[in-house]
Amino acid sequence: MRVRVHCSLAVVCLAAAAAAVQPPPGYVVWGTETYTLQPGEALQLRVDFEQIPVRRWLLLVEGDVRLSHLNLRRVADGRLVYDQRDESRHQVEIPWGVGESLSAVLTAGSGGAFAISLWGPPRDHYLRAYGYEVNRALEALAAGQRGLAQVHLAAAQLADSTDAVARALLQSIAAGGALSSDAPPAVAFAPDPADSARVGSARRHAAALRREGRLYAAIDTLHACVERQPGREILASVYGDLAALYLDLGNRAQAAAAFEAAAALGLPDTALIELRRLLEP
C-alpha cells in the first residue's frame, strides 16, 4: 500500500473544485483540494484551528461513486471522531475550538479522484471561537441546557484553571445570572440510578487508591467519571473529590478550579465548607 502524507489541507478557495461539491445548507467553503488515489492507497491529512477558526464546521469527502474509508481523530487526546468504510460521500460535523487539530486518514476502496473540502459559516459573519469545552458550553446555553453547559465549563476549568471565559460563565450560571435577555432558567440533571451506582463504585475505588498513595491513579479514575457526563449532583461530588486529590499533590490551582466546578454544580454546603478550609493558605 502506498501512503501519501500531507501536513495540512491547504485552505484555498478553488472555484472550479468548489462547484463540484454540494454545499451543506448555511455553510460556505473554506478550503478544498482534490486528490487522485489508487485502489487501497491511503492519504493522511491534518486540519488545524488556524485554517478554520470557528466553533464548529463540516468536513466533506466526495468520491462520486468511488468508495472510501475515512478515519478522523482529535489530535489533543486521540479521541475517535468518525470512522466509516465503503462510503462514496462522508459528511462529518466537527466540534472545534482554539488550539484544536484534526488528524484524518482517507483510504481509497476503488481508485480515482476524491474531493476534500472544509465548510463553515460565512467568513464575514461567524461567532468568535474559544476553547473546545467553552464552545460546547456556549452551544448548550444557546439550546437552553444550562446543566450541560456547567458540565462543559467545569471540564474547561479543570483542563485550564486560568481560562477566564470558563470561570466567568460558571460564576454567572452559579449566581443565577442571565447570560442574555431571554436566557432560560437553570436546568438540573436528574440523577440516573445506574450512573449513581457506577460513579459511587468509582469514587470508592479512587478513595482506596488515595489511601494507598496512588494519587494519579485515583485522579484518572475520577476523570473517567467526568467523561461519562453523569447527572449534575453526581458530578459535583466527583469534582469535590478531585479538589481534595489535587490538594494532596500540592496543585492548588487545579484544586481551586475543581472546587469552583463543584460549587457551580451544587455540591452541598457542608462539603464546600470543608474544601474551602483546606484551600485557605
Side-chain angles (χ1 to χ4, degrees), residues 215-234:
L215 301 182
Y216 287 106
I219 288 172
D220 288 344
T221 298
L222 294 174
H223 271 294
C225 296
V226 172
E227 290 172 1
R228 286 195 292 268
Q229 295 188 359
R232 191 174 68 182
E233 294 177 8
I234 301 172

Side-chain angles (χ1 to χ4, degrees), residues 169-279:
L169 288 171
L170 263 177
Q171 290 171 346
S172 178
I173 294 173
L179 299 176
S180 65
S181 59
D182 58 349
V187 176
F189 285 172
D192 179 270
D195 275 344
S196 298
R198 282 192 295 268
V199 175
S201 176
R203 290 181 66 203
R204 288 190 293 274
H205 180 54
L209 291 170
R210 183 186 181 193
R211 288 192 296 271
E212 296 170 6
R214 299 169 62 190
L215 301 182
Y216 287 106
I219 288 172
D220 288 344
T221 298
L222 294 174
H223 271 294
C225 296
V226 172
E227 290 172 1
R228 286 195 292 268
Q229 295 188 359
R232 191 174 68 182
E233 294 177 8
I234 301 172
L235 198 58
S237 297
V238 172
Y239 276 113
D241 294 347
L242 282 167
L245 279 164
Y246 280 120
L247 280 172
D248 289 349
L249 285 170
N251 190 334
R252 300 187 67 83
Q254 288 287 70
F259 172 83
E260 282 191 31
L265 292 167
L267 190 68
D269 288 342
T270 51
L272 287 176
I273 290 169
E274 176 61 18
L275 283 174
R276 189 179 291 111
R277 183 185 66 78
L278 294 173
L279 280 165

Side-chain angles (χ1 to χ4, degrees), residues 22 38 75 81 84 98 101 108 114 117 123 140-141 179 181 236 273 275 277:
Q22 181 65 38
Q38 300 299 316
V75 172
V81 176
Q84 291 293 328
V98 173
S101 294
F114 294 87
S117 51
R123 289 172 177 268
L141 287 170
L179 299 176
S181 59
I273 290 169
L275 283 174
R277 183 185 66 78

